[in-house]
Amino acid sequence: MAHQPPLQPLDEPTSCPEGSPSSTTHKETPNGEPHFCVGFTGLPCRSRNLGQKNARRKRDLVLSKLVHNVHNHVANEKRFDGAESIKSSWNISVVKFLLEKLKHELVSNHHNYTDKELKGACVAYFLTKRREYRNSLNPFKGLKEKEEKKLRSRRYRLFANRSGVAQLLGSEEQRLWRGVTEELMSDEEDSAREAGVWVARPPRFRATPLSQLCYRLDANSKHGTKANRVYGPPSERLPSAEVQLLPPQLYNPHFQEEDPKMGTPAHVPPHKAFSTELSSFVEIKVEKDQ
């Protein structure tokens, strides 16, 4: 392999304003029904252009925030019942009520949502209320889902960070990275020993060539070289059906035949500590999730 020049860490993404509903006011109409007026204020977004998918996501954020504001307005008594199905007579009436209010609020703006998009946003918000109700019945399940969501969010951010650095590598490394998905990223768990420390636990099913590439990417990124991020034993997370279809340089189909106690990942960068040997002088920097 040809010698690769040292990589420079990428700058953190910046933000830009985006229109989003953030507040509501209430007026009485002549027939006595409540009328909701929704204001639009700035909402941060990534400056990197991700095309139509990112534009659609921004559009959905605006609509979902609007549904939230109308549904939870202090004057509104038509609210979803999470204990019932979306097909119950009450929840169906709530959807119809929200659709009428949303159409009225959107008359004066230029978003031009379809009826299908409006109804989809209402149903999506019902699922949120439904999940909140179920979590209230089983608090431990709710905590588990919250932890899984946090780890999934960290894997997505780690994948985005490494993808940016991978663009600076040679053609051979870029070909290997081309088939990588977020699921192949490490689980960055909160350390039980040191407050503010993240323990990166690579999935056991990740192939060695890809792990070596990941460590190289980490060594050339701001996130990978943070003092509060250390490596730990492999994660016990199992692969999805989609990951099992990946080529052997990305997915190791024989991972369950290997010793799970072989905790230290291969070729860990020498400047990084290992979680089972954290020393007392490790510099701690707390990083909060967004």
Side-chain angles (χ1 to χ4, degrees):
M1 182 183 301
H3 175 70
Q4 298 291 339
L7 304 178
Q8 297 296 327
L10 298 181
D11 294 333
E12 298 295 330
T14 58
S15 61
C16 63
E18 176 194 344
S20 173
S22 61
S23 62
T24 59
T25 57
H26 171 248
K27 297 180 181 178
E28 290 291 340
T29 58
N31 57 7
E33 294 185 358
H35 168 65
F36 306 104
C37 297
V38 181
F40 287 77
T41 58
L43 178 70
C45 68
R46 294 185 181 273
S47 60
R48 186 176 299 171
N49 182 12
L50 299 180
Q52 293 182 351
K53 183 177 180 181
N54 198 30
R56 178 63 180 270
R57 173 173 172 78
K58 295 175 184 177
R59 177 181 173 89
D60 292 344
L61 286 174
V62 172
L63 183 55
S64 62
K65 186 64 176 179
L66 179 58
V67 174
H68 175 274
N69 288 343
V70 173
H71 180 276
N72 296 312
H73 194 277
V74 292
N76 178 33
E77 297 181 355
K78 277 273 190 178
R79 302 194 178 192
F80 287 122
D81 185 354
E84 299 181 3
S85 166
I86 185 64
K87 296 182 180 180
S88 69
S89 58
W90 172 257
N91 286 329
I92 289 177
S93 68
V94 175
V95 171
K96 293 180 179 179
F97 169 79
L98 292 177
L99 286 175
E100 293 179 2
K101 295 300 178 184
L102 291 173
K103 291 179 180 179
H104 184 79
E105 293 296 337
L106 293 169
V107 168
S108 59
N109 69 62
H110 306 287
H111 288 286
N112 299 322
Y113 292 103
T114 64
D115 290 347
K116 183 178 179 180
E117 288 176 321
L118 294 178
K119 185 176 180 180
C122 294
V123 173
Y125 192 70
F126 164 78
L127 295 177
T128 299
K129 307 307 289 185
R130 177 75 165 171
R131 184 167 54 252
E132 291 177 356
Y133 170 75
R134 288 181 173 178
N135 289 343
S136 67
L137 300 179
N138 189 345
F140 294 102
K141 181 180 179 180
L143 291 174
K144 182 180 179 181
E145 290 182 352
K146 183 177 181 181
E147 181 67 19
E148 291 176 350
K149 182 178 179 181
K150 179 175 66 175
L151 293 177
R152 185 166 57 252
S153 175
R154 290 179 179 180
R155 288 198 299 270
Y156 271 93
R157 282 184 288 177
L158 180 59
F159 175 70
N161 181 278
R162 286 171 171 170
S163 296
V165 182
Q167 297 177 5
L168 305 176
L169 297 180
S171 57
E172 182 177 347
E173 290 86 353
Q174 291 188 27
R175 280 195 298 270
L176 175 61
W177 189 258
R178 195 171 296 136
V180 176
T181 67
E182 295 85 353
E183 194 175 345
L184 293 168
M185 301 297 101
S186 301
D187 289 331
E188 296 180 321
E189 302 177 357
D190 296 320
S191 173
R193 299 188 179 190
E194 300 282 352
V197 171
W198 285 8
V199 181
R201 301 182 60 191
R204 290 177 56 202
F205 52 82
R206 190 171 70 190
T208 300
L210 177 56
S211 290
Q212 294 175 354
L213 177 58
C214 288
Y215 299 138
R216 184 184 175 197
L217 295 173
D218 289 346
N220 291 277
S221 69
K222 289 182 179 180
H223 178 77
T225 55
K226 287 181 177 179
N228 68 318
R229 184 180 186 271
V230 297
Y231 290 98
S235 169
E236 295 301 319
R237 175 166 49 90
L238 296 177
S240 66
E242 290 78 10
V243 168
Q244 296 179 39
L245 300 177
L246 294 175
Q249 64 268 27
L250 301 180
Y251 169 70
N252 176 16
H254 308 292
F255 73 96
Q256 291 181 321
E257 303 172 7
E258 300 174 354
D259 185 4
K261 296 183 179 180
M262 297 178 62
T264 307
H267 302 283
V268 173
H271 67 283
K272 298 299 292 183
F274 187 65
S275 65
T276 58
E277 301 176 354
L278 282 176
S279 56
S280 59
F281 55 83
V282 172
E283 180 184 1
I284 305 301
K285 298 179 180 177
V286 178
E287 179 170 342
K288 297 181 179 179
D289 289 329
Q290 298 297 327

